[in-house]
Amino acid sequence: MAKYIKQEMPNLNGTDEPQVYYRLKTDRNISSKEFVEHISRKGSVTDRAEIEGAIMRIADGLAELLGNGYSVTIDGVGVFKAGIGLKADKEMDTFDGDDTKRNARSLRLTGINYRTDKELIKKANRHCKLERAGESRLHHTPYSKEERW
């Protein structure tokens, strides 16, 4: 059963009243090996090695296509798209300035953005039975907002 935590967060609208939000408590991470075991137990006739091979081929295919500038949609899972940014030793340039202009060698892939398929969210929600796990409050400081600044 999934558990949730009620958590306080500072109000970013300028008021001192903290906001409340909820987050899912993650019990632990499921490894690839455990995930394959889980899938293979679900009445699949597919061999564990075939599932592991398919996952590795999916990862390799995603890396190749994302690295070549494509976004990739996997039906029922979501859309993957690469993000780029400056290399660590490079400075940001401007549109108007006289500074050095960046070229492709100054940039690198910095992450993979993922947008979940709405159907995956619906399916996960059907499996979700929530139970309260507790609260997490903000650490209050003895200093005023002005003193902290």
Side-chain angles (χ1 to χ4, degrees), residues 9-19 145-146 148-149:
M9 182 174 117
N11 191 332
L12 301 176
N13 294 330
T15 66
D16 286 335
E17 188 71 25
Q19 292 181 310
K145 186 187 256 184
E146 291 77 23
R148 289 192 307 264
W149 281 101

Side-chain angles (χ1 to χ4, degrees), residues 31-47:
S31 69
S32 290
K33 186 175 181 177
E34 289 174 292
F35 183 63
V36 168
E37 286 286 326
H38 178 77
I39 292 172
S40 65
R41 283 193 306 248
K42 291 290 186 182
S44 173
V45 294
T46 307
D47 181 90

Side-chain angles (χ1 to χ4, degrees), residues 38-115:
H38 178 77
I39 292 172
S40 65
R41 283 193 306 248
K42 291 290 186 182
S44 173
V45 294
T46 307
D47 181 90
R48 284 186 196 104
E50 290 175 353
I51 295 171
E52 288 173 350
I55 290 172
M56 288 179 7
R57 290 194 67 183
I58 289 168
D60 289 344
L62 277 171
E64 181 181 351
L65 292 170
L66 293 169
N68 283 306
Y70 295 96
S71 66
V72 179
T73 299
I74 300 176
D75 293 337
V77 175
V79 179
F80 298 83
K81 186 177 181 181
I84 61 170
L86 286 175
K87 289 183 177 177
D89 60 338
K90 303 297 179 187
E91 291 182 25
M92 186 75 70
D93 61 345
T94 61
F95 279 105
D96 302 336
D98 294 331
D99 53 345
T100 306
K101 300 297 180 199
R102 296 286 153 234
N103 60 26
R105 285 182 273 152
S106 303
L107 302 171
R108 68 179 187 91
L109 219 136
T110 56
I112 306 295
N113 302 312
Y114 167 69
R115 178 156 310 234

Side-chain angles (χ1 to χ4, degrees), residues 130-141:
L130 285 173
E131 175 181 289
R132 189 174 190 150
E135 293 184 357
S136 177
R137 295 197 169 263
L138 289 173
H139 299 289
H140 292 286
T141 175

